[in-house]
């Protein structure tokens, strides 16, 4: 069957990457990009950092209007898909228009998981998921303002970093016993915590919230132990909920997210999903959802190559990064490795001057790696993990040996 029309629902990272991959693989048919937002596709990682700190200088657009025209893409903005008819292979838009497709990619991302008690307060409570959310925080994060951040994950700590750069008084409330607990081993979590504390952030771990209310222009947050914290604004980031309702209504196989196979196909062979909205069948037979910039790009590429019947390249180990308090952290592979060993020295007090590498080892094999202000070593870690290299402490932890020369 010829593929004359491809509809991409969702104008984010995965949607933009799918366009580039399709045209890069010589797809010459019609591509229609449909987005809820009025913006053209843009990068989301800078929303918690540069968009707040340097809004005038920061460019986040992935595909300009000129580039989309050059690629021959029909763009529908601010008029999202409200219904998919999987049998007829049509998508209905908010304004009632119906478009037909041969193949469709759901790249609808996710929405912030809500805290209804805080949402009910209305003013002075924020989340961060899109460009408008980020722009709304610019006038809020001002010197001397008291900011409470709920959630000690990537978004919470990146926002804490931005707020401190803006000279805010910052408190982070985290229910778990660790910051970055979902995505980093304890040894690095302790380093993250030390950096935030050294920067003047009040981090409350293993802390639950009992109540919240407005008192004039202040938000009053009552902790489970009875302590009251007062703030000028509260920002919460406690994870996302995949935007999977279109797939549910279309009768596709969905658990928490849209289930896709190794080719990113849903239970309907002509409908695919990629990015935060998709949970993919992995080599071990389990479905897993990965919330990273890289994963959105990878799955978009898988979709495009499958449509074009091009062989997939061998998958690289999963990789992501975060920038906090002028420190760059990069992660690759399995963060649940049995043990973590340090190349270099962990010296939290050095702050931005800190630089070290962590090797994650399970059963004597290198399965994970982390670089802290040592980005040049990341490609070497990726190679070691890909080849399932045996860990040799005398080689890999010896700073006198060039890591590049140890990777053959």
């Amino acid at each position: 069957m010829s593929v004359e029309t491809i509809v991409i629902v969702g104008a984010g990272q995965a949607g933009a990457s799918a366009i580039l991959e399709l045209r890069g693989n010589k797809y010459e048919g019609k591509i229609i990009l449909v987005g809820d937002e009025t913006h053209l596709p843009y990068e989301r990682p800078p929303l918690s950092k540069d968009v707040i700190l340097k809004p005038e200088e920061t460019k986040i657009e992935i595909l300009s209007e000129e580039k989309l025209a050059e690629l021959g893409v029909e763009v529908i903005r601010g008029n999202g898909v409200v219904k998919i008819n999987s049998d007829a292979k049509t998508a209905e838009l908010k304004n009632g228009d119906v478009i037909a497709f041969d193949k469709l990619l759901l790249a609808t991302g996710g929405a912030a998981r809500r805290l209804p008690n805080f949402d009910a307060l209305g003013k002075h409570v924020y989340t961060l998921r899109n460009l408008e959310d980020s722009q709304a925080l610019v006038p809020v994060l001002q010197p001397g303002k008291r900011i409470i951040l709920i959630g000690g994950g990537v978004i919470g700590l990146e926002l804490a970093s931005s707020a401190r750069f803006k000279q805010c008084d910052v408190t982070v409330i985290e229910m778990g016993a660790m910051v970055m607990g979902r995505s980093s081993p304890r040894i690095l979590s302790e380093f993250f915590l030390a950096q935030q504390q050294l920067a003047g952030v009040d981090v409350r771990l293993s802390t639950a919230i009992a109540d919240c209310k407005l008192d004039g222009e202040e938000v009053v947050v009552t902790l489970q132990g009875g302590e009251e914290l007062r703030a000028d604004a509260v920002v919460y980031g406690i994870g996302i909920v995949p935007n999977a309702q279109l797939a549910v209504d279309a009768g596709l196989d969905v658990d928490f997210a849209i289930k896709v196979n190794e080719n990113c196909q849903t239970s309907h062979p002509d409908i695919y999903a990629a990015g935060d909205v998709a949970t993919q069948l992995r080599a071990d037979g389990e479905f897993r959802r990965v919330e990273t910039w890289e994963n959105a790009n990878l799955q978009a590429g898988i979709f495009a190559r499958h449509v074009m019947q091009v062989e997939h390249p061998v998958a690289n180990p999963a990789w992501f990064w975060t920038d906090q308090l002028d420190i760059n952290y990069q992660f690759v592979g399995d963060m649940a490795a049995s043990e973590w060993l340090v190349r270099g020295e962990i010296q939290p007090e050095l702050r931005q001057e800190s630089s070290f590498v962590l090797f994650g080892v399970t059963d004597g094999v290198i399965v994970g790696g982390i670089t802290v202000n040592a980005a040049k070593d990341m490609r070497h870690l990726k190679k070691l993990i890909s080849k399932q290299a045996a860990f040799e402490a005398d080689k890999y932890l010896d700073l006198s040996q060039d890591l590049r020369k140890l990777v053959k």
Side-chain angles (χ1 to χ4, degrees):
M1 181 197 80
S2 64
V3 179
E4 295 181 3
T5 302
I6 294 175
V7 172
I8 298 172
V9 184
Q13 187 72 46
S17 293
I19 291 168
L20 294 171
E21 290 279 356
L22 285 166
R23 292 304 192 213
N25 282 286
K26 311 302 183 189
Y27 176 68
E28 296 179 353
K30 179 186 286 189
I31 299 175
I32 303 174
L33 177 66
V34 185
D36 280 323
E37 296 184 62
T38 57
H39 309 290
L40 295 173
Y42 60 87
E43 299 265 11
R44 293 185 187 268
L47 295 182
S48 56
K49 302 181 283 285
D50 288 350
V51 173
I52 292 171
L53 297 173
K54 300 178 286 187
E56 296 83 11
E57 304 167 35
T58 303
K59 305 299 181 190
I60 61 174
E61 196 173 77
I62 304 171
L63 294 174
S64 66
E65 203 160 354
E66 294 74 21
K67 184 63 176 178
L68 286 161
E70 179 189 320
L71 292 167
V73 178
E74 180 183 338
V75 182
I76 298 172
R77 295 194 261 173
N79 184 22
V81 172
V82 295
K83 182 180 179 182
I84 295 168
N85 186 324
S86 55
D87 293 330
K89 299 209 305 193
T90 58
E92 182 181 334
L93 306 184
K94 194 182 300 181
N95 69 354
D97 289 350
V98 175
I99 52 179
F101 63 84
D102 297 305
K103 302 285 185 182
L104 180 140
L105 174 66
L106 286 164
T108 47
R113 186 187 294 277
R114 309 309 304 189
L115 288 176
N117 288 353
F118 280 92
D119 291 344
L121 300 182
K123 60 181 180 178
H124 309 313
V125 175
Y126 302 84
T127 58
L128 178 58
R129 191 63 193 163
N130 59 35
L131 180 56
E132 282 77 13
D133 294 339
S134 184
Q135 291 171 334
L137 287 171
V138 173
V140 173
L141 302 182
Q142 294 299 321
K145 293 293 185 181
R146 299 161 299 167
I147 309 297
I148 290 177
L149 297 167
I150 301 174
V154 174
I155 292 296
L157 295 193
E158 288 184 350
L159 279 174
S161 171
S162 295
R164 285 303 294 146
F165 282 137
K166 300 270 278 195
Q167 301 175 44
C168 300
D169 294 328
V170 182
T171 301
V172 173
I173 300 174
E174 167 56 45
M175 285 189 66
M178 298 164 50
V179 293
M180 294 282 289
R182 286 178 54 204
S183 53
S184 70
R186 179 169 290 279
I187 188 172
L188 188 65
S189 173
E190 291 171 352
F191 183 83
F192 277 118
L193 176 61
Q195 294 310 305
Q196 293 289 336
Q197 292 172 331
L198 286 167
V201 178
D202 179 9
V203 182
R204 307 293 187 95
L205 298 177
S206 303
T207 300
I209 294 170
D211 192 24
C212 61
K213 63 182 181 182
L214 285 177
D215 183 6
E217 294 301 309
E218 293 182 316
V219 182
V220 182
V221 177
T222 305
L223 305 182
Q224 204 163 56
E227 182 183 0
E228 284 189 352
L229 303 177
R230 291 178 173 263
D232 299 297
V234 169
V235 189
Y236 70 83
I238 56 168
I240 71 165
V241 177
N243 290 326
Q245 193 59 46
L246 282 173
V248 172
D249 294 343
L252 304 180
D253 194 359
V254 176
D255 49 22
F256 179 61
I258 305 171
K259 297 175 80 170
V260 298
N261 64 14
E262 66 278 8
N263 298 315
C264 287
Q265 287 171 296
T266 68
S267 51
H268 188 295
D270 293 321
I271 301 177
Y272 298 69
D276 291 350
V277 77
T279 180
Q280 188 173 19
L281 182 64
R282 308 293 171 169
D284 60 6
E286 298 293 324
F287 283 88
R288 278 193 297 281
R289 191 173 64 88
V290 179
E291 293 177 25
T292 66
W293 175 92
E294 184 199 43
N295 184 65
N297 291 331
L298 288 174
Q299 290 183 331
I302 290 170
F303 152 74
R305 287 188 291 273
H306 189 254
V307 168
M308 296 302 295
Q309 300 182 337
V310 175
E311 188 176 355
H312 302 322
V314 176
N316 291 319
W319 167 81
F320 69 99
W321 83 95
T322 178
D323 294 310
Q324 300 173 22
L325 298 165
D326 279 342
I327 300 175
N328 173 255
Y329 304 84
Q330 297 193 29
F331 305 73
V332 64
D334 184 5
M335 293 299 108
S338 299
E339 58 179 330
W340 288 89
L341 301 108
V342 186
R343 176 182 168 90
E345 190 174 353
I346 299 179
Q347 297 176 286
E349 67 281 0
L350 293 182
R351 302 186 66 184
Q352 291 91 342
E353 302 305 313
S354 295
S355 179
F356 57 91
V357 172
L358 293 173
F359 287 90
V361 179
T362 298
D363 296 329
V365 175
I366 301 171
V367 297
I370 300 169
T371 62
V372 177
N373 280 340
K376 62 179 174 39
D377 290 325
M378 179 47 63
R379 65 174 182 166
H380 310 317
L381 291 176
K382 288 180 179 179
K383 288 180 181 177
L384 289 168
I385 294 167
S386 294
K387 64 189 277 191
Q388 298 183 308
F391 180 73
E392 300 174 66
D394 57 335
K395 285 170 52 176
Y396 295 121
L397 302 185
D398 182 355
L399 290 177
S400 69
Q401 299 201 52
D402 186 339
L403 195 56
R404 176 178 59 86
K405 293 179 180 178
L406 298 177
V407 182
K408 298 177 182 178

